């Protein structure tokens, strides 16, 4: 008898998304209600996950679905950030005239996909979750269909992502062919170390996953998609899929292939170094803030991967901490972007920020701490994120990785400083609207407080994360 | 000691900054925010003087230690000994003077400026008090944010360039220190400084770790050839920013050399003595010569700071009691004198809006009070007996003579050069005939400027004639540090 209690959050959110879709079809002009109801259903989902403390790992559906501390933590992070993103972006969607019933429903379905991904303990379940997530995101990317850039980004994302999904699936089939199972635990126990075709299977899957978190050299889609999509979708892109993909990364590398570390470690190290350096250097020349976020998130994923490359529990924990802090920083950044509004027009170029410190002291102060935090300057939260990563990296004596990471921090600091310079040192250009809805302000304040005061009591997050044990 | 006096010293300015943050920013309210800032900083000054009173000079261990759970594996640990307490007092002494001086210099965004200054004070006191490497790094690096803003928002024409240069130079230097700190954690299992003193660091790692720390401190000191950010930052920063930079920020590196390079890596420090000596001598001679050629007053003083810090690094690495005591004394006196000189430049800049030496001349006839005070500071910078500058340089040279005659003689040349560029500056600005008509209408010092400058004059002269209180405070700790270094080096030789 399968105990469905443990997948109740997933079941609840799937049912509520179907119900909301039905409601939307049969009730006219119900987009506001559906948007609010989907936020409420996400809050209930969050409560359901939080409601069930995990003492031991639970396997469901013939071991294809695993619920443990890591998956719970990542799900909480996913749902929480989804709630905050939806709060923050409501006004934006309304003013862009894309406030339809499908929008929240698609968001919910991609969240279901992510939750499946996070918990998957089997290649097929993992692929299913990934595709559910991606298909919803393809539609969302081109949601503002009257906009040329938006449609382009949707098509681009779809084509490239389909290619990477194909590679990933091919990798899965190779792994299945040479181990005889799709189950992670089974693969772990029946692994032949000297099988080169199996390693190419691992490589194919890693390529697919690297594509999803936009690690260099599989990052080409990110800047265009980030820029073209509506900002609300970009904020979603920049935060949620990364959490899910990182969880899968951890699961995929450290459960089935834990005994063949030498086969994949170099790949991860390369991905990490390339992403850190490329993200830092390529962002310098950007003019569009959303494009800049794309490059900066490429860089940040490089740091998260550095934590994964070290092959230790410390490394995994540091990556999870990194992604947690990253979520709050990016959320804050996008909240600031949503505030750059004047007469229902949203501004997204770096030059549009010129001198906003004069008329918008609070907004520019938030920008300031978020940017310094993204640059990793102590005592803000971003510093701790990097600190944990480097602790783990140096523990396993990978000094070159640490040194390259820190040098790219300095390079990256330059473009963050450039934005601060434009905000604080340049003459003012545009006066933006000062009134914003409460949800947006709430999200910005939450993330600003998190970033600013993280250092006063950093061990609480540490303690939560320290219960994760994969190896 | 139950009352957390050090934490309250560190936190008070931040709390003040928080209060200012919530005041309204129109003109009248800006005055109230200034009163808050003054109140908080003077309170901090009295608190730190009280701390000096409580401080037990006869023991070398860390006092007023607070140890709190913070990051799980890293504790928030602060404490002071004879070396650090005077730097804390220097910080709390200079900050209120900066706040008084903003009256004349800062025209816009006064509130934000005060917040930045108070945050700087928190971070700087934190640097001198922290007894854990990670906490130290946190405070050390955190100072970049307010200083970047101070230079960038309230600075002169080339402020953007200077702010970026300052930030990126220092950041690049410091990240290597972060790697070293984390490595120390994995080598010894702790980043607690007192624990590390007891454990000692394995000598095979010391050289690399020393270099990583050196890269950070050398940029911050600044030592030749990574000093080039300093003239830019000084010239473009507003007066209060230059004062903080020269008086305290540069001292963080000197303090770091004593506390960490010497204390944690005595063997490597001994090994790298030739490097330090040659860099220090180049700094002393070369930057003095560069200072001679400057046309901008602030730049001249900035280069002279590099030269003076060259004396400091030279003194620290003599490993003699006189040398290290002299270095600490020199840092304190340079903190006072350079602050005073920058304030003096600020005074005439506010009136004439130019810093070029050639635009001035004959100020003695229109600004007699100013001329007298500037004379005292100039003589202090030269190191004339009777000013605090003399004691520091004299002790450093005694220490250096013990180690090497040649090094000491070359360093002595630096004093002559210092006399040359400072007296020449004084002559060109104060004496001679008034070249420009608008100079005739220039006003002499107003009350707040007299207050600031004379409160700097008093300690400069007092400690010049009677250095006893400072020497007494640092003596035991320095002696203990040298014994510690020597014992480690002996161990290594065996």
């Amino acid at each position: 008898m399968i105990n469905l209690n443990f997948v109740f959050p997933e079941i609840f959110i799937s049912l509520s998304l179907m119900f909301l879709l039905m409601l939307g079809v049969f009730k006219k002009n119900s987009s506001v209600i559906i948007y609010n109801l989907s936020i409420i259903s996400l809050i209930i989902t969050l409560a359901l996950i939080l409601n069930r403390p995990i003492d031991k790992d639970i396997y469901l559906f013939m071991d294809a679905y695993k619920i443990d501390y890591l998956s719970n933590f990542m799900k909480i992070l996913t749902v929480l950030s989804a709630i905050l993103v939806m709060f923050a972006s409501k006004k934006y969607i309304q003013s862009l005239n894309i406030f339809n019933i499908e929008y929240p429903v698609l968001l919910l379905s991609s969240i279901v996909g992510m939750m499946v991904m996070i918990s998957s303990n089997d290649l097929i379940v993992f692929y299913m979750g990934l595709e559910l997530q991606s298909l919803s995101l393809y539609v969302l990317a081109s949601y503002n269909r009257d906009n040329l850039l938006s449609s382009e980004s949707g098509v681009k994302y779809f084509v490239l992502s389909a290619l990477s999904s194909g590679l990933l699936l091919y990798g899965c089939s190779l792994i299945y062919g040479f181990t005889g199972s799709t189950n992670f635990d089974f693969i772990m126990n029946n692994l032949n170390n000297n099988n080169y075709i199996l390693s190419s299977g691992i490589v194919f899957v890693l390529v697919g996953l690297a594509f999803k978190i936009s690690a260099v050299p599989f990052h080409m889609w990110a800047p265009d998609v980030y820029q073209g999509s509506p900002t609300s979708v970009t904020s979603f892109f920049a935060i949620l899929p990364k959490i899910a993909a990182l969880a899968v990364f951890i699961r995929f590398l450290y459960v089935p292939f834990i005994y063949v570390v030498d086969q994949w470690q170099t790949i991860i190290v390369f991905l990490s170094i390339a992403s850190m350096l490329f993200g830092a250097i390529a962002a310098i020349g950007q003019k569009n803030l959303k494009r800049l976020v794309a490059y900066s998130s490429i860089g940040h994923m490089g740091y998260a991967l550095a934590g994964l490359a070290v092959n230790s529990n410390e490394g995994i924990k540091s990556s999870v901490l990194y992604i947690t802090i990253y979520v709050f920083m990016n959320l804050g950044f996008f909240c600031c972007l949503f505030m750059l509004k004047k007469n229902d027009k949203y501004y997204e170029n770096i030059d549009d920020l010129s001198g906003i410190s004069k008329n918008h002291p609070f907004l520019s102060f938030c920008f300031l701490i978020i940017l310094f935090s993204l640059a990793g300057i102590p005592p803000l939260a971003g510093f701790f994120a990097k600190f944990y990563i480097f602790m783990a990296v140096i523990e396993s004596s990978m000094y070159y990785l640490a040194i390259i990471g820190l040098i790219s921090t300095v390079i990256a600091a330059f473009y963050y400083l450039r934005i601060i310079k434009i905000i604080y040192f340049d003459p003012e250009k545009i006066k933006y609207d000062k009134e914003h809805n409460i949800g947006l302000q709430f999200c910005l304040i939450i993330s600003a407080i998190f970033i600013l005061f993280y250092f006063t009591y950093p061990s609480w997050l540490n303690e939560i994360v320290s219960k994760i044990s994969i190896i | 000691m139950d009352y957390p006096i050090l934490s309250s010293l560190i936190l008070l300015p931040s709390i003040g900054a928080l209060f200012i943050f919530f005041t309204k920013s129109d003109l009248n309210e800006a005055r109230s925010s200034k009163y808050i800032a003054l109140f908080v900083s003077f309170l901090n000054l009295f608190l730190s003087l009280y701390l000096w009173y409580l401080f037990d000079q006869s023991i070398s261990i860390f006092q007023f230690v607070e140890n709190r759970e913070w990051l799980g594996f890293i504790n928030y640990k602060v404490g002071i000994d004879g070396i650090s307490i005077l730097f804390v007092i220097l910080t709390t002494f200079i900050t209120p003077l900066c706040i008084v001086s903003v009256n004349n210099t800062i025209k816009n965004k006064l509130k934000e400026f005060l917040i930045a200054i108070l945050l700087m004070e928190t971070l700087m006191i934190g640097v001198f008090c922290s007894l854990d490497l990670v906490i130290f790094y946190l405070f050390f690096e955190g100072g970049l944010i307010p200083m970047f803003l101070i230079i960038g928002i309230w600075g002169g024409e080339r402020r953007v360039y200077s702010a970026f240069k300052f930030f990126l130079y220092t950041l690049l230097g410091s990240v290597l220190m972060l790697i070293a700190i984390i490595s120390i954690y994995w080598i010894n299992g702790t980043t607690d400084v007192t624990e590390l003193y007891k454990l000692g660091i394995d000598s095979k790692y010391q050289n690399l770790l020393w270099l990583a720390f050196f890269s950070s401190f050398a940029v911050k000191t600044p030592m030749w050839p990574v000093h080039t950010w300093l003239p830019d930052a000084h010239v473009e920063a507003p007066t209060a920013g230059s004062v903080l930079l020269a008086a305290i920020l540069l001292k963080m590196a000197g303090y770091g050399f004593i506390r960490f390079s010497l204390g944690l890596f005595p063997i490597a420090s001994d090994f790298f003595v030739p490097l330090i000596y040659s860099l220090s001598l180049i700094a002393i001679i070369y930057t003095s010569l560069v200072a001679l050629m400057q046309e901008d007053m602030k730049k001249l003083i900035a280069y002279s700071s590099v030269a003076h810090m060259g004396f400091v690094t030279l003194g620290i690495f003599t490993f003699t009691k006189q040398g290290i005591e002299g270095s600490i004394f020199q840092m304190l006196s340079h903190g006072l004198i350079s602050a005073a000189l920058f304030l003096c430049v600020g005074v005439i800049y506010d009136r004439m809006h130019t810093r070029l030496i050639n635009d001035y001349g004959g100020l003695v006839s229109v600004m007699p009070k100013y001329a007298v005070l500037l004379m005292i500071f100039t003589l202090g910078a030269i190191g004339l007996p009777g000013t605090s500058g003399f004691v520091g340089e004299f002790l450093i040279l005694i220490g250096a003579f013990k180690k090497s005659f040649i090094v000491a003689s070359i360093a002595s040349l630096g004093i002559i050069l210092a006399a040359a560029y400072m007296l020449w500056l004084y002559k060109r600005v104060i004496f001679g005939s008034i070249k420009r008509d608008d100079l005739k209408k220039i006003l002499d010092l107003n009350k707040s400027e007299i207050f600031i400058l004379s409160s700097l004059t008093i300690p400069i002269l007092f400690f010049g004639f009677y250095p006893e209180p400072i020497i007494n405070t640092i003596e035991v700790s320095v002696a203990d540090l040298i014994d510690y270094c020597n014992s480690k080096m002996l161990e290594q030789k065996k």
Side-chain angles (χ1 to χ4, degrees):
Chain A
M1 179 65 200
I2 296 167
N3 191 350
L4 283 182
N5 261 339
F6 290 100
V7 281
F8 198 58
E10 282 90 334
I11 294 174
F12 174 79
I13 194 169
S14 317
L15 287 178
S16 61
L17 97 86
M18 288 175 217
F19 167 73
L20 289 175
L21 194 59
M22 286 298 138
L23 186 71
V25 172
F26 288 110
K27 192 172 182 311
K28 273 186 184 154
N29 298 329
S30 56
S31 44
V32 179
I33 302 168
I34 288 185
Y35 198 89
N36 293 339
L37 276 179
S38 46
I39 292 180
I40 290 169
S41 68
L42 278 174
I43 293 173
I44 295 172
T45 314
L46 186 65
L48 286 173
I49 304 173
L50 285 172
N51 196 21
R52 194 171 306 105
I54 296 291
D55 318 324
K56 58 178 177 23
D57 299 356
I58 291 149
Y59 292 89
L60 297 169
F61 311 118
M62 300 172 71
D63 294 352
Y65 206 77
K66 183 177 180 183
I67 293 166
D68 61 356
Y69 197 83
L70 173 72
S71 70
N72 249 19
F73 180 79
M74 293 306 234
K75 277 181 203 166
I76 291 168
L77 197 59
T78 312
V79 176
L80 183 69
S81 47
I83 295 169
L84 291 175
V85 167
M86 285 181 83
F87 262 128
S89 58
K90 185 176 176 189
K91 186 81 185 157
Y92 176 87
I93 308 161
Q94 277 172 335
S95 59
L96 223 62
N97 282 329
I98 50 170
F99 197 62
N100 301 329
I101 53 158
E102 293 91 347
Y103 186 89
V105 171
L106 280 168
L107 281 186
L108 284 189
S109 75
S110 78
I111 290 163
V112 176
M114 288 169 200
M115 289 169 80
V116 171
M117 260 170 94
I118 289 169
S119 267
S120 63
N121 197 36
D122 185 286
L123 287 172
I124 302 218
V125 175
F126 147 59
Y127 185 75
M128 203 176 72
L130 184 79
E131 283 306 286
L132 179 56
Q133 182 235 145
S134 304
L135 280 168
S136 320
L137 291 182
Y138 302 148
V139 184
L140 283 173
S142 54
Y143 205 80
N144 191 10
R145 60 181 179 192
D146 296 333
N147 183 315
L148 195 65
L149 281 175
S150 181
S151 332
E152 182 201 319
S153 78
V155 174
K156 211 170 218 166
Y157 186 42
F158 173 65
V159 172
L160 287 171
S161 192
L163 181 71
S164 83
S165 293
L167 287 177
L168 194 137
L169 201 55
Y170 184 55
C172 291
S173 67
L174 278 178
I175 292 169
Y176 171 69
F178 282 87
T179 53
S181 172
T182 53
N183 185 285
F184 286 174
D185 293 307
F186 188 87
I187 296 172
M188 176 171 77
N189 295 325
N190 296 289
L191 206 61
N192 183 357
N193 207 352
N194 299 319
N195 195 327
Y196 290 108
I197 303 183
L198 183 70
S199 348
S200 40
I202 302 176
V203 173
F204 277 124
V205 177
L206 284 185
V207 168
L209 282 173
F211 182 90
K212 300 291 172 202
I213 63 165
S214 67
V216 178
F218 310 105
H219 64 279
M220 286 80 92
W221 60 276
D224 290 337
V225 173
Y226 276 52
Q227 187 185 5
S229 315
T231 313
S232 57
V233 180
T234 312
S235 62
F236 201 76
F237 267 134
I239 298 171
L240 279 93
K242 315 255 168 177
I243 305 172
L246 195 80
V248 172
F249 246 113
I250 295 171
R251 191 80 77 196
F252 179 77
L253 292 176
Y254 286 99
V255 179
F257 299 111
I258 177 75
Y259 298 127
V260 287
V261 175
D262 49 330
Q263 307 255 11
W264 52 261
Q265 195 171 29
T266 330
I267 302 174
I268 302 289
V269 169
F270 171 77
L271 287 176
S272 157
I273 289 178
S275 308
M276 288 190 291
L277 280 178
F278 183 84
I281 293 167
I284 292 175
Q286 300 308 319
K287 293 194 173 69
N288 184 293
L289 277 169
K290 278 153 79 179
R291 253 187 126 73
L292 185 114
V293 176
Y295 285 108
S296 109
S297 75
I298 290 171
H300 283 290
M301 282 306 115
Y303 291 100
L305 284 178
L308 289 189
V310 299
N311 183 29
S312 70
N313 243 338
E314 295 300 316
I316 296 172
K317 280 176 212 163
S318 68
S319 282
V320 173
L321 268 171
Y322 195 93
I323 198 88
T324 314
I325 292 169
Y326 166 86
V327 163
F328 282 95
M329 294 192 297
N330 257 26
L331 181 75
F333 191 87
F334 278 102
C335 288
C336 292
L337 278 190
F338 290 133
M339 286 193 172
L340 300 181
K341 184 184 77 153
K342 191 182 179 186
N343 305 332
D344 275 353
K345 183 177 181 310
Y346 285 85
Y347 292 80
E348 51 191 46
N349 280 332
I350 295 181
D351 288 341
D352 297 335
L353 290 172
S354 181
I356 58 166
S357 67
K358 187 147 190 165
N359 289 312
H360 308 270
F362 178 70
L363 173 61
S364 39
F365 177 71
C366 289
F367 245 128
L368 178 81
I369 57 169
I370 288 162
L371 289 167
F372 272 124
S373 172
L374 283 166
I377 307 298
L380 302 170
F383 165 72
F384 290 91
K386 292 204 166 91
F387 179 71
Y388 295 128
I389 294 281
F390 292 124
M391 282 295 277
V393 168
I394 292 177
E395 187 191 10
S396 53
S397 305
M398 298 165 92
Y399 292 103
Y400 58 99
L401 190 56
I403 290 174
I404 292 174
L406 284 168
I407 287 173
S408 50
T409 308
V410 179
I411 302 172
F414 175 76
Y415 65 80
Y416 292 123
L417 285 186
R418 202 178 112 229
I419 307 178
I420 294 169
K421 174 220 140 195
I422 287 167
I423 294 174
Y424 273 92
F425 307 168
D426 283 4
E428 67 168 308
K429 245 167 69 181
I430 306 172
K431 266 190 181 174
Y432 296 100
D433 293 350
K434 286 209 166 167
E435 277 148 36
H436 304 286
N437 69 331
I438 294 170
L440 183 55
Q441 286 176 359
F442 172 76
C443 289
L444 185 56
I445 289 170
I446 289 265
S447 62
I449 286 176
F450 178 87
I451 292 166
L452 197 55
F453 291 107
Y454 180 81
F455 76 96
T456 52
Y457 189 47
S459 51
W460 67 272
L461 196 58
N462 241 1
E463 273 158 25
I464 296 171
V465 172
S466 65
K467 287 181 194 148
I468 294 172
S469 64
I470 300 291
I471 300 175
Chain B
M1 189 70 198
D2 290 319
Y3 178 69
I5 188 163
L6 286 181
S7 291
S8 37
L9 264 178
I10 295 172
L11 278 179
L12 248 176
S14 299
I15 295 169
L18 204 68
F19 268 107
I20 296 174
F21 187 75
F22 286 114
T23 56
K24 289 208 183 78
S25 55
D26 58 45
L27 208 66
N28 276 333
E29 301 291 332
R31 197 174 298 144
S32 75
S33 62
K34 201 181 156 187
Y35 289 136
I36 296 175
L38 275 178
F39 174 73
V40 167
S41 56
F42 274 108
L43 192 66
N44 232 19
L45 174 62
F46 292 126
L47 199 61
S48 65
L49 289 174
Y50 179 60
L51 184 76
W52 198 9
Y53 169 73
L54 290 179
F55 184 78
D56 185 352
Q57 299 180 344
S58 58
I59 47 174
S60 71
I61 55 163
F62 289 100
Q63 304 178 33
F64 310 102
V65 173
E66 292 164 40
N67 202 346
R68 267 164 237 265
E69 187 99 332
W70 183 62
L71 198 62
F73 50 97
I74 288 160
N75 282 1
Y76 167 81
K77 190 170 180 186
V78 289
I80 48 169
D81 66 351
I83 298 171
S84 46
I85 182 169
L86 291 172
F87 290 105
V88 174
I89 294 167
L90 179 69
T91 313
T92 53
F93 178 70
I94 295 290
T95 315
L97 296 184
C98 285
I99 292 170
V100 176
S101 81
V102 297
N103 242 5
N104 312 312
T105 48
I106 303 299
K107 296 284 181 275
N108 61 335
K109 292 190 186 165
L110 181 65
K111 193 180 116 178
E112 286 82 355
F113 189 78
L114 293 172
I115 293 175
I117 295 262
L118 287 177
L119 285 181
M120 270 318 279
E121 187 179 10
T122 288
L123 295 165
M124 292 180 302
I125 297 175
V127 164
F128 295 125
C129 291
S130 48
L131 284 186
D132 188 288
L133 289 174
V134 177
I135 306 283
F136 171 78
Y137 184 81
L138 218 65
F139 284 122
F140 192 78
E141 281 289 278
L144 288 181
I145 300 177
M147 204 61 214
F148 175 76
L149 296 175
I150 287 175
I151 298 175
I153 298 178
W154 296 279
E157 278 159 31
R158 285 170 75 237
R159 61 209 160 104
V160 175
Y161 170 79
S162 309
F164 272 67
K165 197 169 175 183
F166 163 74
F167 195 97
L168 294 175
Y169 249 78
T170 342
L171 186 64
L172 188 62
S174 306
V175 288
L176 290 175
M177 183 165 80
L178 181 62
I179 295 185
I181 290 173
I182 297 173
S183 309
I184 289 175
Y185 179 77
W186 290 118
I187 292 167
N188 277 22
T190 179
T191 49
D192 185 332
V193 175
T194 44
E195 288 290 309
L196 285 171
Y197 277 172
K198 276 181 211 146
L199 291 169
I201 291 170
D202 198 336
S203 56
K204 67 182 173 196
Y205 302 116
Q206 281 202 9
N207 283 0
L208 273 177
L209 293 175
W210 187 92
L211 280 175
F213 273 79
F214 172 74
S215 75
S216 167
F217 295 147
V219 172
K220 204 88 173 199
T221 312
M223 294 180 82
W224 185 86
V226 281
H227 65 281
T228 56
W229 63 270
L230 184 79
D232 285 311
H234 268 319
V235 170
E236 299 307 327
T239 307
S242 304
V243 170
L244 280 186
L245 201 59
I248 305 159
L249 250 72
L250 306 188
K251 308 303 174 288
M252 293 183 349
Y255 169 77
F257 270 128
I258 299 176
R259 171 79 76 230
F260 301 116
S261 296
L262 245 55
L264 296 179
F265 323 113
I267 298 159
S269 300
D270 191 40
F271 178 77
F272 284 110
V273 159
L275 172 74
I276 293 277
Y277 279 5
S278 32
L279 290 184
S280 305
L281 289 182
I282 294 174
I284 293 171
I285 302 297
Y286 167 77
T287 50
S288 299
L289 289 174
V290 175
L292 263 178
M293 300 314 299
Q294 294 307 313
E295 288 169 352
D296 185 315
M297 281 188 260
K298 260 188 159 179
K299 238 181 181 154
L300 190 147
I301 299 168
Y303 277 109
S304 84
S305 289
V306 182
H308 281 122
M309 291 310 285
F311 274 104
V312 171
T313 46
L314 183 69
I316 292 171
F317 285 86
T318 56
F319 291 98
T320 56
K321 187 161 168 285
Q322 289 84 353
I324 296 178
E325 279 179 11
S327 295
I328 297 170
F329 205 101
Q330 168 80 341
M331 281 195 266
L332 297 171
S333 96
H334 177 253
L336 299 169
I337 293 170
S338 65
L341 287 172
F342 278 119
L343 285 164
C344 282
V345 177
V347 165
I348 46 177
Y349 178 77
D350 291 338
R351 290 167 171 71
M352 304 304 296
H353 298 283
T354 169
R355 285 186 300 258
L356 294 182
I357 298 170
N358 283 340
D359 288 344
Y360 294 97
L363 282 183
V364 66
S365 51
V366 277
M367 299 177 81
K369 291 176 201 157
Y370 179 77
V372 171
L373 286 169
L374 185 60
M375 190 72 214
I376 295 171
F377 302 135
T378 309
L379 294 178
I382 299 167
L384 194 81
T387 60
S388 61
F390 170 73
V391 184
E393 279 175 8
F394 183 66
L395 284 173
I396 291 171
L397 286 176
I398 291 179
F401 267 112
K402 271 189 179 174
K403 284 277 159 178
S404 154
F405 180 75
I406 300 170
V407 169
S409 350
I410 298 175
S412 317
L413 276 180
I415 297 182
I416 301 171
L417 286 170
Y421 60 72
M422 286 313 294
L423 288 178
W424 196 30
L425 168 77
Y426 190 78
K427 184 217 137 204
R428 282 181 291 171
V429 173
I430 301 293
F431 298 133
S433 56
I434 296 181
K435 277 173 252 163
R436 283 169 45 172
D437 285 341
D438 48 354
L439 268 182
K440 284 177 186 153
K441 279 178 239 132
I442 196 168
L443 295 171
D444 206 349
L445 301 177
N446 62 27
K447 272 180 193 157
S448 74
E449 284 159 351
I450 290 180
F451 168 73
I452 300 168
L453 293 177
S454 50
S455 48
L456 282 164
T457 318
I458 293 164
I460 291 173
L461 292 178
F462 178 77
F463 291 121
F465 283 106
Y466 187 62
E468 206 74 2
I470 291 185
I471 300 288
N472 279 346
T473 311
I474 56 183
E475 201 170 19
V476 184
S477 297
V478 169
D480 198 56
L481 180 71
I482 293 169
D483 286 346
Y484 173 79
C485 287
N486 286 336
S487 69
K488 287 281 169 191
M489 278 183 242
L490 273 179
E491 253 174 54
Q492 172 72 5
K493 273 175 193 151
K494 277 174 194 167

